[in-house]
Amino acid sequence: MGLLTILRKQKWKEKEARVLLLGLDNAGKTTILKRLLNENTITVSPTFGFQIRTINVEGLHLTIWDIGGQKTLRSFWKNYFESTEAIVWVVDSLDESRLLECKHQLHELLLEEKLLNISLLILANKSDAAGSLDAKTIEQLLHLDELKSRHYCILSVSAITGDGIQEAINWLASDLRESKMGILSN
Ligand SMILES: Nc1nc2c(ncn2[C@@H]2O[C@H](COP(=O)(O)OP(=O)(O)OP(=O)(O)O)[C@@H](O)[C@H]2O)c(=O)[nH]1
Ligand SMILES: [Mg+2]
């Protein structure tokens, strides 16, 4: 049994999971985190480093790392991959012009060996705004079919209205629970 598996088993016994909130700048990662924490979502500013917050979902203690998505910061993302069990990839579904860049970054990220067995939740954010693309369209434009054996979930959400946010975090908690159960029974 590898060290990583032992650490994961230990964390599951403690009902803890480490989640990275990633995506391009301006996608709405920090706003989503504020929504999850029931904080004011009106005042947000770009994240230049990272912030760590914890939430409890269905008895699971999630440590969420909200990491800045600006281009100059992306080379630092890899510093956070160790022991990560889930990625929440946030997409600005209003900004069609950046979906190619978004697709490229996501596919590059998923090549990382340390992220092979993570839970992957993709959030098409800003669904409240007129002209936003729906989850099905984003799924196609991000070429998620190329992810092959990797399972994922894509959902439309709005950090501003809160639509879909609870369902999204519930999916994550269930998926983490299932995958950790799998590890435990190995
Ligand atoms: N209409 C709408 N605007 C949103 C939503 N979520 C976030 N925004 C806006 O999008 C902008 C960027 O939000 P942030 O949460 O700072 O984005 P971020 O992904 O954390 O950006 P970085 O920290 O730079 O990586 C802000 O002006 C938010 O008000 C949403 O659901 N709907
Ligand atoms: Mg931010």
Side-chain angles (χ1 to χ4, degrees):
M1 190 190 301
L3 181 61
L4 199 58
T5 310
I6 294 170
L7 287 173
R8 281 187 173 153
K9 278 190 179 186
Q10 188 57 39
K11 279 173 87 184
W12 175 233
K13 282 181 190 148
E14 294 162 8
K15 293 192 165 56
E16 279 182 13
R18 173 182 162 108
V19 179
L20 299 189
L21 203 44
L22 289 173
L24 302 188
D25 47 296
N26 204 52
K29 299 176 291 297
T30 303
T31 315
I32 287 173
L33 186 56
K34 279 173 169 270
R35 167 63 57 189
L36 284 168
L37 294 161
N38 288 321
E39 291 177 0
N40 178 0
T41 54
I42 303 303
T43 50
V44 283
S45 44
T47 308
F48 292 114
F50 66 91
Q51 61 164 329
I52 312 170
R53 305 296 295 269
T54 56
I55 57 167
N56 289 304
V57 190
E58 298 175 0
L60 198 56
H61 191 66
L62 303 181
T63 307
I64 304 190
W65 294 62
D66 168 26
I67 301 169
Q70 289 181 43
K71 207 166 190 165
T72 50
L73 301 173
R74 292 179 209 157
S75 59
F76 298 106
W77 285 359
K78 60 179 180 310
N79 298 339
Y80 303 91
F81 295 161
E82 196 72 50
S83 302
T84 288
E85 284 148 282
I87 300 273
V88 179
W89 181 262
V90 183
V91 183
D92 181 345
S93 49
L94 255 186
D95 195 353
E96 199 170 348
S97 69
R98 295 185 76 200
L99 280 177
L100 197 62
E101 181 188 1
C102 178
K103 177 193 115 184
H104 173 74
Q105 287 292 332
L106 175 62
H107 286 257
E108 192 176 286
L109 180 80
L110 295 175
L111 292 175
E112 292 287 341
E113 209 177 330
K114 286 177 181 156
L115 302 178
L116 280 181
N117 298 314
I118 52 149
S119 295
L120 176 60
L121 173 61
I122 298 161
L123 298 181
N125 189 34
K126 309 194 184 180
S127 65
D128 60 280
S132 62
L133 299 171
D134 61 28
K136 198 80 213 150
T137 309
I138 302 259
E139 185 172 23
Q140 285 163 358
L141 292 172
L142 293 183
H143 291 205
L144 297 184
D145 56 323
E146 289 173 15
L147 297 179
K148 299 198 173 70
S149 61
R150 192 184 276 276
H151 83 286
Y152 64 85
C153 175
I154 177 163
L155 295 169
S156 274
V157 298
S158 167
I160 295 293
T161 64
D163 276 2
I165 296 287
Q166 198 54 49
E167 292 86 334
I169 204 74
N170 287 348
W171 179 86
L172 189 65
S174 303
D175 198 65
L176 279 164
R177 181 167 289 119
E178 269 175 37
S179 60
K180 283 164 176 276
M181 298 285 230
I183 287 171
L184 280 175
S185 61
N186 283 338

